[in-house]
Amino acid sequence: MDQLRAIRYFSKVVETGSFTKAAKMFNVPPSSLSRRVADLEKSLGATLLKRSTRIVKLTEVGQIYYNDVQQILNQLEQSQETVRSYQTTPMGRLRISSMVGFGDKILLPLLDEFSALYPEIVLDVSLSDELSTLGRDDVDIAIRGGYAPNERVLAIKLMDNGFIPVASPGYLEKYGMPANAMELKHHSGLYFKTPTGPTPWLCKVDEQWHDVSGPAVAISNNGSWLAKKACKGEGILMSTRWALDGYLESGALQELKFEHELAITQNANMAVYLLYQKQRYLVPKVKAAVDFLVERMRQSSKDLRSKTGKHKTQ
């Protein structure tokens, strides 16, 4: 426990940049805290901090040690929270990370409903298309589109995440409906940009994949902006059905259907996944959120498939 206390003292000194400020937060004399940190350095045989009359800075090895112990302290805090909150009312700060488009259109409206059910949970929501690593990035729950991850986390499939081609009636009237997927090469394209780059238009014909991407008019990671440009007739867009549902329903955009379906990757198993660490499910706030989101999103997925079926039979 003495070494753990010293590590906590050291970490707080780094965060505050001051032995005096860190000591005040622990309600101990600065001399006592400084002595504990010095003992920690002695036990490690390394200087972790550069001390001066004005500031405290990490040494190179101190930075490495600080990064390592932060992960340990975060894991310890999570474990303590699991024990403290086992079989208690869901409460506290819940950190959720989601891809931007899905967050805006589907997740955030559901979280408003969730907040009404669990008013003692404080939602801390980050929308980003950059990948989050659970635990390392202080995220309790992450929602990502793509493939089931290789991380040591639980991944629950919420809905399919396949991309479909769409265009406005105005665009098709002006430039004509492509007779087949290969003709897309001659049409203007609006491309969604992922962290790895713009998504291509791919088509599988006779067991071979072909890139049928047309010349780019616009590229962005903002799907809503691209959809609006598609509605204005500026080009053909490939996006997810859940993102385009409202535009298809209103008739502002229409799905282009070909003999050979399009994709943005050769891997056909794309989906939207909810990710969380197994041990975190014991925490009531995490369990409540996982159960709620899985149930509500799967219902949304069923509703979307129902609409798709109706469109196909019309």
Side-chain angles (χ1 to χ4, degrees):
M1 291 299 292
D2 285 347
Q3 185 176 24
L4 179 58
R5 184 181 294 112
I7 291 172
R8 290 187 189 277
Y9 286 172
F10 161 72
S11 180
K12 193 60 65 176
V13 169
V14 175
E15 291 170 11
T16 61
S18 164
F19 281 90
T20 303
K21 290 179 181 178
K24 188 177 295 185
M25 297 185 75
F26 286 106
N27 196 26
V28 298
S31 58
S32 176
L33 184 142
S34 178
R35 190 162 51 251
R36 291 277 187 179
V37 174
D39 289 342
L40 175 64
E41 290 178 311
K42 186 177 180 180
S43 69
L44 293 171
T47 301
L48 303 177
L49 298 168
K50 296 177 185 175
R51 300 163 174 81
S52 70
T53 54
R54 291 188 176 183
I55 57 174
V56 179
K57 282 188 175 182
L58 283 166
T59 63
E60 185 176 350
V61 70
Q63 182 68 63
I64 295 171
Y65 186 72
Y66 175 75
N67 292 339
D68 287 343
V69 298
Q70 282 304 106
Q71 295 183 38
I72 296 169
L73 291 176
N74 286 338
Q75 184 61 53
L76 181 61
E77 182 184 350
Q78 289 180 6
S79 299
Q80 290 173 336
E81 185 181 357
T82 298
V83 174
R84 284 195 303 266
S85 57
Y86 187 67
Q87 291 185 333
T88 62
T89 303
M91 63 176 65
R93 186 176 171 191
L94 180 69
R95 302 172 183 89
I96 301 176
S97 171
S98 171
M99 47 189 179
V100 178
F102 192 86
D104 280 333
K105 188 172 180 64
I106 296 180
L107 176 64
L108 293 183
L110 288 179
L111 290 180
D112 289 337
E113 184 181 339
F114 179 78
S115 290
L117 292 173
Y118 300 98
E120 294 186 65
I121 293 179
V122 177
L123 294 174
D124 182 345
V125 184
S126 299
L127 301 184
S128 172
D129 290 321
E130 297 297 326
L131 295 179
S132 294
T133 300
L134 299 180
R136 186 192 70 191
D137 293 339
D138 261 355
V139 174
D140 296 304
I141 296 172
I143 297 174
R144 287 289 175 264
Y147 321 114
N150 294 322
E151 294 181 74
R152 284 179 284 182
V153 298
L154 294 181
I156 300 176
K157 180 178 176 179
L158 298 176
M159 60 176 65
D160 293 329
N161 200 42
F163 278 54
I164 60 171
V166 296
S168 69
Y171 178 89
L172 296 175
E173 184 179 344
K174 185 174 182 179
Y175 298 103
M177 172 74 76
N180 55 62
M182 302 301 285
E183 286 192 6
L184 289 171
K185 290 183 178 181
H186 308 298
H187 284 264
S188 301
L190 302 166
Y191 293 92
F192 186 78
K193 182 170 63 176
T194 70
T196 57
T199 55
W201 300 347
L202 304 176
C203 182
K204 193 174 185 180
V205 180
D206 297 330
E207 299 305 313
Q208 287 192 337
W209 285 94
H210 301 268
D211 189 330
V212 295
S213 304
V217 172
I219 301 169
S220 176
N221 64 347
N222 189 310
S224 178
W225 182 68
L226 292 174
K228 288 175 182 175
K229 293 181 81 65
C231 289
K232 293 177 184 177
E234 296 184 27
I236 293 174
L237 170 67
M238 281 273 288
S239 187
T240 57
R241 190 176 295 280
W242 55 260
L244 298 170
D245 181 44
Y247 300 103
L248 295 170
E249 194 76 20
S250 68
L253 295 174
Q254 66 182 73
E255 182 179 354
L256 310 183
K257 297 181 180 180
F258 305 109
E259 178 185 356
H260 302 95
E261 291 188 7
L262 292 182
I264 61 166
T265 173
Q266 296 182 23
N267 189 323
N269 299 317
M270 291 190 69
V272 176
Y273 291 94
L274 184 148
L275 314 174
Y276 64 94
Q277 292 178 311
K278 184 177 180 180
Q279 69 271 25
R280 296 293 287 159
Y281 189 71
L282 295 174
V283 180
K285 64 181 180 182
V286 176
K287 183 180 187 303
V290 169
D291 292 348
F292 173 84
L293 292 174
V294 168
E295 179 185 355
R296 297 292 282 108
M297 287 189 190
R298 283 182 173 172
Q299 183 58 51
S300 297
S301 182
K302 287 180 183 178
D303 294 343
L304 192 59
R305 286 199 300 269
S306 177
K307 288 181 183 179
T308 303
K310 288 178 182 178
H311 292 322
K312 288 182 178 178
T313 57
Q314 289 175 354

